[in-house]
Amino acid sequence: MDQIKRIPTNKWTKKYQVDPVFLKSQLEAKAIKYLKNQNYLDYKKISQILKINYNNKYPLGYALKAQKKIVGFVGTLFSKRKINNKNYIFCNIHTWIVNKTHRISSHLLFSSLIKKKCVITVLSPLDKLCSIFKKMGFNILIMNYRVVFLINFFNFFHKSLFRIEKNSIYIKKKLNNKDWKIYQDHSNSSFLKFMIFNDNEKSNFSLIIAKIIRKKSYFNVLNILYVSNEQFIKKNWISINSKISNEFNVFFCGQYFLKETDCALPNNIALSLNFKKNICVKNLPTNIKFDTIYSETIY
């Protein structure tokens, strides 16, 4: 996908223009100032997401301008991914805000993305906006979230053969090109990147990319963003869960998923909770193993 250019306007939208906002550009400074002045946004949270840029070729958002003044903004997280041996451009939308007097033209912020036919995901849409996304050709899907209690008291009575490996040199030797790229893209120290395997069977393992979400001082959740072998984790969960708890000092583990087969956390645990929410997607590949890497769910 070539670097995104200014969107042409037709007669009834001629007073508007949509410009891509790139990292460290003059327009970025103006967009940040605009976002800071919005009363309905948690700018502190958004500012953390705006610092992420998986590929400098793509913008961190788009600004809607009227008479050279910013009147709206949509935040984007672009990534290149390989799914079922095909290359895709993914774009996750994390922020969408337009001044009240200009909301009739809100959809213009999505024009370039829709024309480029990249995969677009909106994982935290307001319920009232889902119908608008549907009119723009998005599909509304139900995303599940499962959080489980990690401590397994039976593991205190025997030595576990499973090991957590965090050394990047060792991990690189084990990973294929696709998973190594995902590992490198999440090189920021805020991400947890590790492998789990059995000492007696080192050829069978799982790579996990995760992030600790701090709900409260006593309720920290290790959120799994990506797992390369969910069946390995699910099959050996009884032996694995206490290792994760001890290694990362957490008592809960969570994961977002669409289908049960995509979730590494077992569904038969007594101390667990399941939640559902609507998400909006466009051009999502068929038979995809859904995950939440490269998205705002990391915060």
Side-chain angles (χ1 to χ4, degrees), residues 77-88:
L77 287 171
F78 279 94
S79 59
K80 287 186 176 182
R81 302 191 61 182
K82 196 165 189 175
I83 309 290
N84 298 328
N85 295 319
K86 292 184 179 180
N87 294 316
Y88 293 90

Side-chain angles (χ1 to χ4, degrees), residues 1 4 54-55 58-59 62 76-79 89-91 113 118:
M1 181 160 119
I4 300 168
Y54 296 109
N55 192 318
Y58 302 103
Y62 296 88
T76 56
L77 287 171
F78 279 94
S79 59
I89 299 298
F90 275 68
C91 178
L113 295 175
C118 55

Side-chain angles (χ1 to χ4, degrees), residues 6-34:
R6 180 174 297 174
I7 303 168
T9 56
N10 56 33
K11 290 182 179 179
W12 74 273
T13 62
K14 63 182 180 180
K15 76 174 192 176
Y16 295 104
Q17 67 185 50
V18 178
D19 290 340
V21 181
F22 288 93
L23 190 66
K24 297 180 180 179
S25 66
Q26 290 184 347
L27 188 55
E28 180 197 14
K30 294 179 181 178
I32 288 175
K33 183 179 180 180
Y34 170 79

Side-chain angles (χ1 to χ4, degrees), residues 146-185:
R146 179 172 298 152
V147 58
V148 302
F149 185 59
L150 284 175
I151 297 298
N152 185 340
F153 297 102
F154 294 105
N155 283 338
F156 290 114
F157 301 102
H158 70 276
K159 183 179 178 180
S160 174
L161 295 174
F162 288 84
R163 184 155 67 91
I164 290 177
E165 178 60 65
K166 295 187 286 186
N167 184 282
S168 61
I169 297 175
Y170 181 91
I171 291 175
K172 183 179 180 180
K173 293 178 181 178
K174 293 287 186 179
L175 299 183
N176 57 33
N177 291 336
K178 185 190 88 169
D179 286 338
W180 178 241
K181 180 182 183 303
I182 291 173
Y183 182 95
Q184 290 179 301
D185 285 346

Side-chain angles (χ1 to χ4, degrees), residues 223-238:
N223 261 0
I224 294 177
L225 307 174
Y226 177 78
V227 54
S228 65
N229 188 348
E230 63 280 342
Q231 294 305 315
F232 172 78
I233 300 296
K234 190 174 289 188
K235 179 181 177 181
N236 299 290
W237 182 253
I238 292 177

Side-chain angles (χ1 to χ4, degrees), residues 124-139:
S124 302
L126 297 175
D127 290 339
K128 63 183 180 181
L129 294 180
C130 286
S131 60
I132 298 176
F133 281 111
K134 192 172 182 178
K135 289 179 180 178
M136 289 193 290
F138 284 72
N139 294 317

